[in-house]
Amino acid sequence: MRPQTLLAKSARGAGVGLSLLAHTIDVVNCAKRLYELTGRAQLCALGLELGTWGERYLRDLTLCAFLHDLGKANSYFQALLTGSKPIFQPIRHEAVSYWIARRIQMREWLQRTVGDLKALELILLAVAGHHRKFPPGHEDAEPMVVYLGHEDFHAMLEWGSESLGLASPPRLDDATIRFSPKRESVILELEDAECEALGLIDDIKRERPEEIRYLALLKASLIAADVAGSIRRQGGRPMVDWMADAFSNVPTATDLDGVVRTRLGIRNLHPFQQAVGEAPERVVLVRAGCGSGKSLAAYHWAARAAERLGRDLRVFFCYPTTGTASEGYRDYLKDVDLPRALIHGRSEVDMELLGLGDDEPGPSDDREASENEPGRATVDSAGALDHWSTPLVSCTVDTVLGLVQNNRRGIYLWPSVAGSAVVFDEVHSYDDRLFEALLRFLKEMRGIPCLLMTASLPESRLRRLKDALSDIDEGLGVVPGPDRHESIKRYKRESGDPRDYVKAALAEGGKVLWVVNTVDRAMDLWSDYGGGTVKPLLYHSRFKYRDRVKRHGAIIQAFGGDGPVLAFTTQVAEMSLDLSASLLVTQLAPVPALIQRLGRLNRRASEDDPWPFVVYGLDFDAKNSAPYDPMELNEARAWLESLGPDGLSQRDLVEGWRDAVLPPARSVACAWLDGGFETRAHPLRTGSPGIEIILPEDVNTVRSGGKPEEYRIPMLMPRDRDWHRWDEVAFCKVPPTGLVEYHPMKGARWTR
């Protein structure tokens, strides 16, 4: 039945649906405001001159906003919004928007304003990708009526003509899209259009590569404007008014210097920290060991970067894991007298469980919203837009680099990131895909100051950083760590049975950190330990998150207190544990992992005083090299032998690995820049064969309102079990009762 009013948003919940025209006006207004507030920063971030691109960008972005939801004027989508049951969509509405805009009358009308046909095609590509999905449609569905002749549709075209300065619009008739087994009609037409578009993109890459960055900019800004327009009000105010205050909330250089002064007290910045701030390059690499003062140097660097650019900058501190992001927030942002935020998939839970504050917004987990759940995307994205107004952000690196692969949170935050300085910590820990994303970010974001921090980096990766920047005629600033700190003899390698060293250390009241490569091995060591009066601690990733937070806190407290301590941990110790052990025992692991583990030994040393560490191989207790490649372990053995038996400094560790030859890097496509039609999310990191589960006993708690993030457990893929058929709650699998052993002090494992 032909609808009386064309809707854009569901009538369910609020009781009154939002008309397509009203929603379009909201999005166009938000697009204009987004340009006014952040257009200069966005263009600058991508190396696009305001004088050359500014007027075109404003015109194209408002046209994108005007056209983006025309495809909702179809019989399927209108029935979805007004019906009591979800209705299957044979083709998504953004594909229909693209189809409408390419019709002869519409295309000629738009071209009279845009002029250049290729420029118009870029606008239409941004429209087609504004929900990050562009699947081909489904066969054998009932025909779809597109209400081009509806008075509401023509009223929209009239509004666009008057408000955007377009020519008088055409008068159209309803059209029908048919889906047949022979893939006729719109499906073939769109597939042909996609081939044409991909050919156009290939031409642009060869002839006008800057337009690839421009297309990516249009797509991200349209998505941001659509989200803002869909939310309509933020903080009880119209969105366009809220946006003005949000984007003006940026820390000044004086604010950032105040953070430094508060942390230093009566002390002065170390010459090393001064050197970081004075490095003139846009991209600066700091190679310095744990405890050298890198984090405080980052604030000083951000303040000086703002002064050099002549404008205030937000600061994003990017960490490799949720744990390190939360620790960074706790150590360097929690008590700062400026608005700040923690952003990652479990940030809300951490703010509560770690006592970091209960008034900070936290976006929900980065899950895709379905077109058949039209309200959910708005709820999920409102939290992300809160961070448009946040001056200081501690987040996982996925939050920022996720933009490169079209991850939702990265795209939503793009207007904020564009006007920021970005600090990437622990860059040595990035896997190949993540490091490739970093390289692409540094090359394409030519106006964003970036500080890279690491304890160690092989020359092969350093060369790749330099080569990437050389491609755009930039150099890499490199600042070494403070000489005295880097040269202190902190470590001494010992050989023999590690249990003998543990026994002796505990007898003297020492604090022992024992790191292994698998969760199962850590659990076995903890269960089998018979060390008398010392009760061992256990920490790994395979806990319910609420229990993992407690285990983390217990270890930090124990190592900071009096008396002997023995803790069995896995790779989680490499970055998320800020502690100092008197003895390190570790399974053989790749060189960068060993260097990170050694960063937890004798961490507070101020003079030569080497403390012992023991590295044992597969001959002691491991059945195979998992989860590492045998070649990585062979490299680690050779590195250990090169260190010798004497006292070792952080510099000794790094120098011994600097000439390591890494496997050739594989090219990784950048979905945001290379995707054409698609704005679909692609993996940012190398995938691991794992799933997340919620135990059967926690299902009712989660379903009745408990935060699922507190109860999720990451697990390796179960063998010989048909887990695909298990029930699902909050995007997690629910294993049948009896398949998982769980204890809040020990964690989870599949029953044997």
Side-chain angles (χ1 to χ4, degrees), residues 69-118:
D69 270 357
L70 291 182
K72 288 184 175 179
N74 75 72
S75 54
Y76 275 87
F77 198 89
Q78 294 303 306
L80 167 68
L81 296 184
T82 57
S84 58
K85 296 180 180 180
I87 294 177
F88 176 74
Q89 301 291 300
I91 187 169
R92 290 182 59 89
H93 76 268
E94 58 267 38
V96 183
S97 296
Y98 182 75
W99 178 80
I100 292 171
R102 282 179 59 91
R103 290 173 69 82
I104 293 175
Q105 289 174 283
M106 286 290 291
R107 196 182 184 99
E108 291 177 347
W109 177 53
L110 295 170
Q111 196 172 340
R112 285 200 291 273
T113 297
V114 176
D116 181 47
L117 185 60
K118 291 183 178 179

Side-chain angles (χ1 to χ4, degrees), residues 438-450:
L438 173 65
L439 294 177
R440 191 69 184 266
F441 185 90
L442 298 178
K443 286 180 65 172
E444 306 296 352
M445 309 301 170
R446 304 173 187 195
I448 296 181
C450 295

Side-chain angles (χ1 to χ4, degrees), residues 325-326 329-330 333-334 340-344 346-363 387 394 545 549 707:
S326 295
Y329 182 92
R330 188 210 308 259
L333 292 182
K334 182 176 184 292
R340 66 274 183 220
L342 173 65
I343 308 178
H344 58 68
R346 294 188 291 255
S347 56
E348 262 190 290
V349 177
D350 276 0
M351 297 300 289
E352 178 180 331
L353 297 182
L354 297 176
L356 301 179
D358 57 5
D359 58 347
E360 297 290 341
H387 302 306
S394 179
Y545 192 64
V549 168
K707 293 178 180 176

Side-chain angles (χ1 to χ4, degrees), residues 646-667:
D646 300 325
L648 299 165
S649 66
Q650 181 72 24
R651 183 165 294 153
D652 294 328
L653 302 180
V654 174
E655 290 291 341
W657 186 52
R658 183 164 289 178
D659 295 329
V661 178
L662 298 182
R666 297 178 180 176
S667 177

Side-chain angles (χ1 to χ4, degrees), residues 240-528:
V240 291
D241 295 338
W242 176 85
M243 288 168 64
D245 288 342
F247 285 112
S248 66
N249 194 15
V250 184
T252 64
T254 302
D255 292 332
L256 297 172
D257 285 333
V259 175
V260 175
R261 286 195 302 271
T262 300
R263 298 288 299 185
L264 285 174
I266 62 173
R267 295 176 291 119
N268 293 320
L269 281 168
H270 190 280
F272 152 70
Q273 295 167 320
Q274 291 276 13
V276 173
E278 292 166 5
E281 295 85 357
R282 178 182 66 89
V283 182
V284 178
L285 171 69
V286 177
R287 288 204 290 195
C290 300
S292 59
K294 295 195 297 289
S295 296
L296 203 56
Y299 279 98
H300 180 60
W301 166 83
R304 305 290 76 78
E307 289 178 342
R308 283 191 290 272
L309 288 174
R311 57 187 173 92
D312 297 333
L313 297 169
R314 283 187 177 77
V315 186
F316 279 76
F317 293 87
C318 301
Y319 298 90
T321 66
T322 57
T324 49
S326 295
E327 288 298 305
Y329 182 92
R330 188 210 308 259
D331 293 342
Y332 290 95
L333 292 182
K334 182 176 184 292
D335 299 321
V336 171
D337 191 22
L338 286 169
R340 66 274 183 220
L342 173 65
I343 308 178
H344 58 68
R346 294 188 291 255
S347 56
E348 262 190 290
V349 177
D350 276 0
M351 297 300 289
E352 178 180 331
L353 297 182
L354 297 176
L356 301 179
D358 57 5
D359 58 347
E360 297 290 341
S364 65
D365 192 33
D366 196 11
R367 308 286 181 176
E368 295 287 348
S370 165
E371 185 168 79
N372 289 346
E373 299 175 88
R376 195 182 128 211
T378 301
V379 173
D380 285 353
S381 42
L385 297 204
D386 280 337
H387 302 306
W388 284 1
S389 65
T390 307
L392 301 175
V393 174
S394 179
C395 59
T396 57
V397 64
D398 309 66
T399 301
V400 171
L401 291 188
L403 171 70
V404 171
Q405 297 297 6
N406 286 331
N407 290 351
R408 182 179 65 190
R409 190 177 287 126
I411 290 181
Y412 290 169
L413 282 173
W414 159 246
S416 183
V417 172
S420 299
V422 183
V423 180
F424 296 100
D425 198 14
E426 311 279 15
V427 297
H428 63 273
S429 68
Y430 292 8
D431 64 34
D432 288 342
R433 285 191 65 91
L434 194 56
F435 193 73
E436 288 295 315
L438 173 65
L439 294 177
R440 191 69 184 266
F441 185 90
L442 298 178
K443 286 180 65 172
E444 306 296 352
M445 309 301 170
R446 304 173 187 195
I448 296 181
C450 295
L451 182 67
L452 318 179
M453 304 199 298
T454 181
S456 58
L457 198 71
E459 284 297 318
S460 55
R461 278 200 166 179
L462 178 60
R463 284 195 300 271
R464 299 200 64 223
L465 282 169
K466 290 181 176 179
D467 290 346
L469 293 171
S470 177
D471 289 345
I472 57 172
D473 298 322
E474 287 191 28
L476 174 69
V478 180
V479 181
D483 184 72
R484 176 59 185 154
H485 181 273
E486 298 293 291
S487 60
I488 292 172
K489 303 297 183 182
R490 301 170 184 271
Y491 322 117
K492 187 175 188 298
R493 186 186 176 198
E494 302 288 356
S495 59
D497 192 325
R499 292 167 293 197
D500 295 337
Y501 290 94
V502 171
K503 183 176 180 181
L506 295 178
E508 296 175 1
K511 300 193 183 328
V512 180
L513 182 65
W514 189 319
V515 186
V516 295
N517 298 339
T518 67
V519 173
D520 281 347
R521 187 62 193 138
M523 295 169 77
D524 289 341
L525 283 169
W526 181 80
S527 298
D528 298 342

Side-chain angles (χ1 to χ4, degrees), residues 6 9 23 32 52 79 245 265 282 285 347 399 411 441 473 508 513 537 548 603 620 632 666 688 690 724:
L6 293 180
K9 299 294 177 182
H23 170 65
K32 289 180 178 178
T52 304
D245 288 342
R282 178 182 66 89
L285 171 69
S347 56
T399 301
I411 290 181
F441 185 90
D473 298 322
E508 296 175 1
L513 182 65
L537 301 170
R548 178 175 172 176
R603 194 176 176 92
F620 181 73
E632 293 180 296
R666 297 178 180 176
S688 58
H724 297 279

